[in-house]
Amino acid sequence: MNKGVVYLVGAGPGDPKLITLRGLEAIQRADVVVYDRLASPRLLKHMKAGAEKIFVGKLPDKHMMKQEEISRLLVDLALQGKTVTRLKGGDPSVFGRVGEEAELLAEHGIRFEIVPGITSAIAVPAYAGIPVTHRDFTSSFSIVTGHEYKNKTYSQVNWDNLAQASGTLIFLMGVANLEQISTELIRGGKSPQTPVALIRWGTWMEQETLTGTLSDIADKVKAAGFQSPAVTIVGEVVKLRDKLAWFETKPLFGRRILVTRARSQASELSLQIDELGGEAVEFPVIRTRPPSRPEAQAARDEALNRLSTFDWVLFTSANGVEFFMERLRELRLDIRALGNARLAAVGPKTAAALAQYGLLAEVVPSEFDGDALLDAIAPELRPGQNVLLATADIARAYLPEQLQERGLNVTKIDIYETVLDTEGGSEIVELLKQNMLHIVTFTSSSTVTNLLRALQELGETEPLKLLQGCRIACIGPRTASTAQEAGLQVDYLAKEATVASLVQCLYEKEE
């Protein structure tokens, strides 16, 4: 069997968007991803279908797997002909022991590539508003290991030289030895009043910054119960934090927010959350697909084959537009058959989806639901007109019933259906159990019911209890009503049934 290849990838300091393009490519092409606790689990979402993931993370007081075992694992996987990505927090060459792993791979003739990452030594201070150099303070910096291994073969830190250095000092993995670090620097001549900052879980939602001086920082750390992982910065540049702190001042900083929207639609909401400093965790509990029931398929195709007979075609979602157009292509039907019909869309997103195909929605209500759509088109309706309603399989019967009562001939077709999706659910359950999810967003009634169903499918017999520690945000009153009927307390309610309005209500309430 041919030998595989191993990519030794720096995952960056934690924020998944700080991965390099080359690192992302390595994740996407891997048959196996071997990762540690400082690599964001969100990066694993980019793995190809069927790829294996192996956690080899190390905790401060417990090594899940010894370094020698990790190196051997990489060799064994590559010898099986697999493409392996070893995902390491920060940069793999900065105290990442990448050299040891690469050496063993080289000894076995296995091809490997070292993919640099953004080191936490620079990125974490930047996220705390502390540039490691500044022309008014210093033009150099040193990166130092904060702890020493008993079997270490290189010379110990030269504290006297460090203490005399004029540049910024950056200590990685040094919380446990902070008192010794401070004492040695002061003994070597560093002023006891030298500013110090510790940044814990830098670039993550849990980022926490503690400042002091060499003389008091150890006591402050003990009093605050400050624990690893943390980066320690010693130098005058720490004074810039009060002026330059940017990440921790974002309106949604510290909020990890669950996005339950369908995968095809989740990115818009996730992006807006990320831009405001929150962390969007996607769990698309619903998946959309063409109708699976033969009778629904037949009814859909029959209606599409006589498009020219309709006076109105109504679309109740952007999803409906996409599935509608896709089926027209599959049936090789001409879009010009819509020329006799007037088009109406439930809201601007649906209208925009139509516009991508060169179609203009004549009616777009100011409110975004079926009731408002009916009110908007009512003055234009005439008894005897033929109406095609392209919607989801779970759509309410209200709109077609009201149209029929007004004397219109209504053809309702299931242009798509929604199904439960539990992929990635075990990670979500774990986040909920650890109280690491702060807000759950719902963008439709189906996301409410499907989240509760998904949690039950994942073995949680009391899903409501699992969600008790989270605030609930709903996109509109109908979604909020479904959530309340299910036993959830709604904390945020968007003024309009749009993603922008939902994000705005989160933003305004957090201010």
Side-chain angles (χ1 to χ4, degrees):
M1 179 181 291
N2 293 330
K3 296 176 182 177
V5 60
V6 177
Y7 296 95
L8 304 166
V9 177
D15 184 337
K17 291 188 176 181
L18 295 182
I19 187 79
T20 64
L21 289 175
R22 185 60 173 165
L24 185 60
E25 288 176 355
I27 295 171
Q28 292 170 333
R29 68 178 55 173
D31 299 313
V32 185
V33 174
V34 179
Y35 66 105
D36 63 34
R37 74 173 181 135
L38 297 182
S40 172
R42 292 172 66 191
L43 291 173
L44 303 180
K45 300 291 185 182
H46 298 285
M47 294 170 60
K48 66 184 181 183
E52 180 185 3
K53 54 186 176 183
I54 301 175
F55 177 64
V56 294
K58 302 169 186 175
L59 301 175
D61 57 346
K62 182 180 180 181
H63 285 233
M64 300 292 289
M65 185 179 288
K66 294 181 179 179
Q67 181 59 50
E68 294 78 10
E69 296 172 331
I70 296 174
S71 299
R72 185 69 235 183
L73 173 65
L74 299 178
V75 169
D76 292 342
L77 291 170
L79 289 177
Q80 296 172 28
K82 295 181 178 180
T83 297
V84 184
T85 292
R86 169 71 170 109
L87 204 56
K88 306 165 76 72
D91 180 277
S93 299
V94 181
F95 308 129
R97 305 183 76 173
V98 73
E100 299 170 46
E101 296 174 356
E103 279 185 302
L104 192 61
L105 293 168
E107 289 172 8
H108 286 80
I110 295 169
R111 185 164 64 91
F112 66 88
E113 181 178 321
I114 298 175
V115 182
I118 298 177
T119 175
S120 60
I122 297 173
V124 167
Y127 266 56
I130 304 171
V132 295
T133 64
H134 190 284
R135 67 178 182 174
D136 292 339
F137 296 106
T138 181
S139 59
S140 64
F141 62 90
S142 301
I143 303 174
V144 188
T145 180
H147 67 93
E148 308 236 335
Y149 296 98
K150 294 179 181 179
N151 62 348
K152 184 171 149 183
T153 57
Y154 56 88
S155 59
Q156 294 185 345
V157 172
N158 189 323
W159 293 105
D160 290 337
N161 284 354
L162 275 180
Q164 295 301 317
S166 60
T168 304
L169 301 180
I170 304 164
F171 294 89
L172 304 183
M173 306 169 289
V175 175
N177 294 329
L178 185 60
E179 188 170 357
Q180 178 192 357
I181 291 171
S182 300
T183 299
E184 292 289 351
L185 290 175
I186 293 173
R187 183 190 60 78
K190 212 75 168 169
S191 168
Q193 299 309 308
T194 303
V196 181
L198 269 74
I199 306 111
R200 181 174 186 267
W201 285 113
T203 80
W204 296 70
M205 281 302 94
E206 290 78 14
Q207 177 171 309
E208 182 181 1
T209 304
L210 183 66
T211 59
T213 64
L214 282 176
S215 64
D216 64 15
I217 192 64
D219 290 336
K220 285 187 173 183
V221 165
K222 289 179 181 177
F226 207 86
Q227 297 179 341
S228 64
V231 173
T232 303
I233 315 297
V234 180
E236 296 301 311
V237 290
V238 172
K239 295 178 180 178
L240 292 166
R241 169 173 163 74
D242 290 341
K243 185 177 183 180
L244 301 183
W246 61 274
F247 181 53
E248 295 166 46
T249 59
K250 285 193 170 188
L252 292 180
F253 169 73
R255 297 291 183 267
R256 186 171 286 109
I257 301 173
L258 188 65
V259 175
T260 57
R261 222 173 183 206
R263 195 176 302 278
S264 60
Q265 299 175 308
S267 58
E268 179 190 4
L269 178 54
S270 297
L271 179 61
Q272 292 192 39
I273 290 170
D274 287 345
E275 285 297 309
L276 292 173
E279 180 181 316
V281 178
E282 295 182 4
F283 182 31
V285 294
I286 59 175
R287 178 165 52 88
T288 56
R289 66 184 186 188
S292 58
R293 294 181 300 111
E295 58 271 27
Q297 296 171 354
R300 172 200 59 189
D301 292 350
E302 188 275 333
L304 295 181
N305 274 289
R306 56 181 182 90
L307 278 181
S308 60
T309 67
F310 291 103
D311 302 294
W312 287 91
V313 180
L314 311 183
F315 294 93
T316 59
S317 71
N319 269 335
V321 173
E322 298 303 326
F323 281 99
F324 186 96
M325 296 303 170
E326 178 62 27
R327 189 54 183 165
L328 284 184
R329 284 192 291 268
E330 292 172 351
L331 294 173
R332 299 186 63 81
L333 295 175
D334 196 324
I335 196 172
R336 286 174 292 184
L338 281 167
N340 295 329
R342 302 177 67 180
L343 306 181
V346 75
K349 293 294 182 184
T350 306
L354 284 167
Q356 289 183 343
Y357 296 94
L359 299 173
L360 177 64
E362 294 185 43
V363 180
V364 183
S366 57
E367 296 181 14
F368 315 130
D369 61 28
D371 297 5
L373 178 59
L374 176 63
D375 293 339
I377 64 174
E380 307 293 327
L381 298 176
R382 300 291 181 268
Q385 288 181 323
N386 298 318
V387 179
L388 175 61
L389 179 59
T391 188
D393 63 323
I394 59 172
R396 294 189 308 147
Y398 175 81
L399 183 55
E401 288 175 353
Q402 288 297 310
L403 291 169
Q404 288 170 345
E405 285 185 11
R406 294 167 187 259
L408 287 94
N409 304 313
V410 180
T411 300
K412 176 184 176 297
I413 59 171
D414 296 344
I415 200 65
Y416 69 96
E417 65 184 19
T418 60
V419 294
L420 185 67
D421 189 351
T422 60
E423 182 181 351
S426 57
E427 291 89 346
I428 301 302
V429 168
E430 193 59 31
L431 287 174
L432 286 168
K433 289 181 176 179
Q434 295 179 19
N435 296 316
M436 293 178 68
L437 281 173
H438 308 108
I439 300 173
V440 178
T441 61
F442 293 117
T443 55
S444 66
S445 291
S446 60
T447 58
V448 177
T449 55
N450 278 14
L451 175 61
L452 296 175
R453 283 180 55 208
L455 293 176
Q456 290 176 324
E457 289 281 337
L458 292 163
E460 298 302 315
T461 56
E462 297 182 278
L464 290 176
K465 186 175 181 181
L466 196 61
L467 295 170
Q468 280 181 350
C470 302
R471 294 182 178 182
I472 303 300
C474 294
I475 201 168
R478 185 162 290 111
T479 303
S481 176
T482 302
Q484 290 165 339
E485 290 172 3
L488 295 168
Q489 176 181 322
V490 176
D491 302 284
Y492 307 89
L493 179 59
K495 294 179 181 178
E496 298 178 346
T498 65
V499 167
S501 182
L502 177 62
V503 173
Q504 185 178 4
C505 82
L506 296 177
Y507 176 102
E508 292 176 346
K509 196 161 185 177
E510 292 300 319
E511 284 189 314

